[in-house]
Amino acid sequence: MKHRIFQKPTELAISFKILIPSGIVFLLFVYFSFFVMLPFVEKHLMKQQRQMLISTTTGIISLLDYLNANVQTGKMPEKEAKRRALAAIRNLRYGPNGENYFWIGEITGAVLFEPGQPDLAGTFLLECNEGKACRFYSDALTIAQGSGAGFIEHKWPSKGDPSRIVDKLSYVRLYEPWEWIVGTGLYMADVKSEIAFLTRKLLWLLIGVMVVSLVFCFYVYQQALTVEIKRQRAEKINQSLIDISNAVNTTFDLETLYGTIHHSLQNINDMKNFFVAIYEEEKDLIAFAYRQDELDNDLPTIEAVHRSGSPFARVIVTQAPVFATRKQILEWESRYGTRSKHIPMASFLGVPLQMKDKMIGVMAAADYFRDDQFDETDLNVFLSVSDQLAVAIERKQDELDLRRKYEQTECILRESEERLLQSERLAATGQLAAFIAHEINSPLQGVTSLLNVIRREYGNDANLVAHLNLIKGAFNSIRRTVKNLLDLNRPGKEKYQPIHLQEILRSTGALVRSFLKDHGVRLNLELAPDLPMIMGSPQQLSQVFMNLINNAVESMNMNPENIERRITIHAESDEDRLTIHVEDTGPGIPKEDMPRIFDAFFTKKRRMGMGVGLFICHRILEGHNGTIWVENQTDRGARFTIRLPIRHRGDIRKRG
């Protein structure tokens, strides 16, 4: 479906942006063609015609020089040479149609021959008192007696109609040895005809350019309009996704959240019919938690989902988005022998609400009258929103689970007075876990969903995808950290795997690179090249080093005048264990705090911190059969020392 969300002023603005520059360019082209190019061509053409007259006359002069040379050498008398010259020149013609000729006169004013005016032959034009021929020959004699050669613009009888007088350009040249005047000329009408021909070609070219320009302008206008439509829709989509993300992070009532999401999606598409359905896998049914249906809001629960022809059931069964038309919906209902009481939907768009591999529901929209209501853009938006909505639903379930666990913990504490201090710590940790799950997990899922949108839109950019993967890995690490914090109260241990500690340290360093740069801290990794593998949890160990780095930065920030801010991580191995030292250049740890530094909720930070970072590090390393202790360095700063076994539960052996 094409979503027409722009207004007439936008179309008008685009028209002006395209048509005005195009019109200016076209007018400049017209001006250049007719007022610059055409006069230049006309001037150049006249120059060529003048040069042509000079060249042809020069050829006649060369002929006369040849005959005169024969006279000078005694090969023929002068009279015979002149006779031959007149005979040869009389019949010479040139031009496209052979209409141009030469005439010969004497310096005395006698005309020897004039092919254009045969009756002038043998006359003395200087004796006439009127007529254009008299004036022309008078000018010719003046030029011959003066400069010896030159051009004359004059009037002359037309070659086709002697009674009509037209413009002509002639060139005359004196042949001094015989005192002859050699002349030739061309009619200006021929030149103007050639110019007119060029003008017509230019006009047709101009018309062609105008047609092509109009077609191009129309094409550019359509493309610009399409881009503007997409841009405006993209802005609305981005704003809606931001609004939905904010709502997911700030709205704790699911019913209110469903309504907010529906309202935000309506800014993108006219979604009068919107549904959020929850799937109960144990009972194999779909119950509607939110529904806005323009025909009937009383939608019944869908039972026996895997035997239902409902489009909602198709989303659950296929675990994939569903685009459906009325024809497809009727086919499904016929195949499974079910029939809805409603008018069949003309178009349906549904996406799964899914967490990990578990289906928890369906988010859908429908239209009863249009079969082209939704497109691929709507699907992508739905997929982005469904991720956030699934997080919100899971968050609500986690809150209920945490509440039940908290109640169970209280029950246990009331029934037993034993290992008491530890129980209180575990209960407090459960509260902290609930707080962290609520305050961190929700905005984290919103950002993760927006990262997925960026990945889908700019997936072709390999560098961007690499950075997005790094960011997403950090977010996943935070999510697992929250989960591990919740697991502090639960029995059991995370499954361990063979790992290279240097890879953990390098990846952790990459994650905190920007953080350290903002605080002016340099991280030095001094890792032995042959560190053996150990069994452990990459995420948990990364969390240990992340906490130690954060504490070191906070310690160094306590003294703003501390110029040298450096964290050094040194790792080496002996026969049985890995030893890692984490050193900083801060003020160190007060002696009175040393005995309690790894206790839960022990902190002297005023602005932030709950006092569980080092406690969690201690618990994680205990789970890895490792140890951690701290001491102040001789000069300044603290040094945390971690030791981990190379052989762990017999799963991995020392290299070599």
Side-chain angles (χ1 to χ4, degrees), residues 365-399:
D367 194 281
Y368 288 98
F369 307 103
R370 298 180 63 98
D371 59 2
D372 61 347
Q373 181 67 15
F374 309 111
D375 57 17
E376 290 293 332
T377 301
D378 294 312
L379 173 60
N380 292 330
V381 172
F382 263 50
L383 290 173
S384 300
V385 175
S386 67
D387 291 340
Q388 301 185 61
L389 183 55
V391 169
I393 295 174
E394 187 189 43
R395 180 189 67 190
K396 190 67 175 180
Q397 187 61 46
D398 287 345
E399 290 175 353

Side-chain angles (χ1 to χ4, degrees), residues 262-287:
H262 183 199
H263 177 74
S264 297
L265 291 177
Q266 280 188 309
N267 293 330
I268 304 172
N269 196 344
D270 186 16
M271 299 181 184
K272 298 179 181 178
N273 309 287
F274 182 75
F275 314 92
V276 177
I278 304 301
Y279 175 55
E280 299 182 25
E281 185 176 6
E282 298 80 6
K283 300 179 181 179
D284 196 29
L285 61 81
I286 297 174

Side-chain angles (χ1 to χ4, degrees), residues 19 33 92 164 185 198 210 226-227 242 245 275 279 305 340 352 385 398 408 443 450 475 505 555 584 594 604 617 632:
L19 296 180
S33 299
L92 285 178
R164 188 165 61 92
L198 293 176
M210 182 177 65
T226 301
V227 170
I242 292 173
S245 179
F275 314 92
Y279 175 55
V305 171
S340 174
V385 175
D398 287 345
Q408 293 173 2
L450 291 178
F475 287 163
L505 291 173
S555 175
D584 63 63
M594 285 288 189
K604 289 188 176 180
C617 292
N632 287 326

